[in-house]
């Protein structure tokens, strides 16, 4: 009898662990768009790495039967730096975490949208490493029918502290539009100087990256490095010259944009499935990177900010989804 009870308790414990391991999610809709978000959670979150902001991870977004995001990588582990889905954002200060260069080994520096992480004994910042989290801050998540509101607060870490608010909102009236609204408030004693970019990780209808895709800008775009015969820039477009094989990539910094928000206007279109998306912002780009492998197309537009203690900085990114004629 005792043996059976022990076995039952072990089974219940195993089921409890399995249930707890399910990553928390929220589903939102406005009638035209249906989206699923993975929510931040220090124990069970789908993503627990230290590279990307934990909020606003979109596992799926569907419009008129088209899927715009999804799994693009082979190996999944919640601690892998880029095992993450959707339009996700990374903050960089001098190509490192906030306060990294002034932090001694075994002390903590800041990854905005993640928390405070420990600096090991190393010869330089390892952007793709997963650092030990010493303080994940306080997350507040408020799901609604058509939006999810995130707030992340981090207490003083080497003079840096902040309140970061981000809302993923679908437009009213069944408009095929999604808006990311951000505000970063500096609650520390030191200025926050950082750049943020959205990696996007577009996975449109499962079509491999290749000639079916075109990426368009409102300016004549130039690649700063050789694209290896896999893509080219022509006028205001980046075009693929071949379907990318597994293990091959296209990567370059792109130039040609000015210092006005109107140049932050990026379209990714797929002729095969007739799905398109337009990405705009109310802030100018400070840098533009393009990266793509077979499974994903990623224009990465940077926004720079310098926030004095007690001040805030707000920015907005708008996604309009459409079908090609």
């Amino acid at each position: 009898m005792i043996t059976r009870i022990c076995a039952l308790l072990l089974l219940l414990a195993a089921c409890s662990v399995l249930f707890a391991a399910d990553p928390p999610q929220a589903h939102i809709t406005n009638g035209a768009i249906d989206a699923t978000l993975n929510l931040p959670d220090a124990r069970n979150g789908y993503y627990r790495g230290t590279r990307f902001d934990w909020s606003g991870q979109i596992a799926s977004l569907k419009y008129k039967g088209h899927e715009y995001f999804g799994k693009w990588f082979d190996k999944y582990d919640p601690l892998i730096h880029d095992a993450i889905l959707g339009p996700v954002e990374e903050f960089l200060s001098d190509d490192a975490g906030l306060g990294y260069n002034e932090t001694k080994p075994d002390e903590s520096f800041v990854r905005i949208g993640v928390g405070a992480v420990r600096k090991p004994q190393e010869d330089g910042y390892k952007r793709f490493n997963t650092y030990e989290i010493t303080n994940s801050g306080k997350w507040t998540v408020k799901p609604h029918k058509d939006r999810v509101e995130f707030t992340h607060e981090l207490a003083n870490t080497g003079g840096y502290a902040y309140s970061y608010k981000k809302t993923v909102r679908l437009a009213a009236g069944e408009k095929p539009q999604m808006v990311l609204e951000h505000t970063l408030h500096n609650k520390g004693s030191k200025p926050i100087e950082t750049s943020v970019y959205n990696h996007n990780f577009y996975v449109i209808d499962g079509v491999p990256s290749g000639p079916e895709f075109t990426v368009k800008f409102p300016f004549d775009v130039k690649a700063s490095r050789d694209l290896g015969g896999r893509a080219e820039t022509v006028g205001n477009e980046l075009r693929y010259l071949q379907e990318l094989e597994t293990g091959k990539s296209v990567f370059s910094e792109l130039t040609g944009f000015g210092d006005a928000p109107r140049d932050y206007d990026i379209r990714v279109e797929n002729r095969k499935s007739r799905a398109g998306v337009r990405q705009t912002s109310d802030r100018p780009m400070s840098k533009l990177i393009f990266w793509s492998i077979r499974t994903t197309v990623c224009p990465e537009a940077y926004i720079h900010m310098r926030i004095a203690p007690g001040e805030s900085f707000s920015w907005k990114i708008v996604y309009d989804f459409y079908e090609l004629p």
Side-chain angles (χ1 to χ4, degrees):
M1 181 67 176
I2 293 176
T3 303
R4 289 181 180 179
I5 292 174
C6 290
L8 179 60
L9 290 174
L10 287 171
L11 179 61
L12 290 173
C15 291
S16 176
V17 169
L18 287 173
F19 179 77
D22 291 340
Q25 292 186 324
H27 303 274
I28 59 175
T29 185
N30 66 351
I33 294 174
D34 293 288
T36 300
L37 284 73
N38 289 326
L39 306 181
D41 188 290
R43 292 186 61 187
N44 300 318
Y46 184 89
Y47 179 76
R48 282 168 271 154
T50 56
R51 178 182 175 188
F52 291 108
D53 168 11
W54 284 10
S55 64
Q57 308 167 38
I58 297 179
S60 171
L61 185 146
K62 294 181 179 179
Y63 168 65
K64 285 194 172 181
H66 300 290
E67 175 64 80
Y68 284 86
F69 303 107
K71 189 171 180 288
W72 59 272
F73 46 85
D74 292 325
K75 181 181 178 181
Y76 171 70
D77 183 310
L79 300 181
I80 293 177
H81 75 95
D82 59 358
I84 193 168
L85 314 172
V88 296
E89 294 168 289
E90 179 183 14
F91 292 82
L92 291 169
S93 300
D94 293 325
D95 290 324
L98 183 63
Y100 177 88
N101 293 326
E102 60 203 74
T103 300
K104 297 177 181 178
D106 207 39
E107 295 179 345
S108 295
F109 62 97
V110 174
R111 298 271 24 217
I112 297 172
V114 176
V117 300
R118 190 181 310 281
K119 180 179 182 178
Q121 186 71 47
E122 59 184 357
D123 57 5
Y125 182 67
K126 303 296 189 293
R127 184 176 175 186
F128 300 151
N129 278 12
T130 296
Y131 289 89
E132 177 193 352
I133 297 176
T134 58
N135 180 5
S136 58
K138 179 185 177 183
W139 281 102
T140 303
V141 180
K142 296 180 180 180
H144 302 269
K145 179 182 178 182
D146 61 352
R147 68 191 186 279
V148 182
E149 300 168 359
F150 305 88
T151 301
H152 188 227
E153 297 179 284
L154 183 68
N156 179 51
T157 303
Y160 295 103
Y162 66 77
S163 177
Y164 172 48
K165 296 183 179 181
K166 180 176 180 178
T167 299
V168 178
R169 177 174 57 82
L170 302 180
E174 299 191 9
K175 184 178 181 180
Q177 184 182 84
M178 177 179 71
V179 183
L180 309 185
E181 299 167 326
H182 316 71
T183 298
L184 181 60
H185 178 64
N186 186 351
K187 301 177 71 174
S189 59
K190 295 180 179 180
I192 293 177
E193 185 160 7
T194 189
S195 293
V196 62
Y197 73 93
N198 201 312
H199 208 304
N200 288 302
F201 292 120
Y202 289 117
V203 179
I204 299 181
D205 293 327
V207 178
S209 301
E212 299 290 353
F213 278 97
T214 303
V215 185
K216 299 179 180 179
F217 307 89
F219 52 84
D220 286 344
V221 63
K222 300 293 184 184
S224 63
R225 64 168 66 186
D226 182 17
L227 300 180
R230 302 185 186 106
E232 64 178 356
T233 55
V234 180
N236 70 328
E237 297 182 354
L238 185 146
R239 303 172 182 172
Y240 290 84
L241 297 176
Q242 58 182 258
E243 185 175 301
L244 297 186
E245 299 176 1
T246 300
K248 301 298 183 180
S249 65
V250 173
F251 172 77
S252 180
E253 183 171 350
L254 302 179
T255 61
F257 58 89
D259 57 3
R262 64 176 176 269
D263 279 354
Y264 192 134
D265 190 339
I266 304 167
R267 292 176 183 261
V268 178
E269 297 181 344
N270 183 269
R271 288 186 296 276
K272 183 175 182 179
S273 69
R274 297 176 50 242
V277 55
R278 182 187 183 191
Q279 178 181 340
T280 57
S281 179
D282 60 346
R283 295 286 186 174
M285 290 190 290
S286 59
K287 184 179 178 180
L288 178 60
I289 298 291
F290 184 81
W291 178 82
S292 177
I293 58 174
R294 179 177 176 82
T295 53
T296 185
V297 177
C298 306
E300 307 167 21
Y302 286 65
I303 294 173
H304 186 76
M305 62 194 80
R306 191 179 193 279
I307 313 170
E311 300 295 323
S312 298
F313 183 91
S314 297
W315 70 103
K316 186 184 298 184
I317 301 175
V318 179
Y319 293 83
D320 288 286
F321 303 94
Y322 56 92
E323 284 192 312
L324 303 181

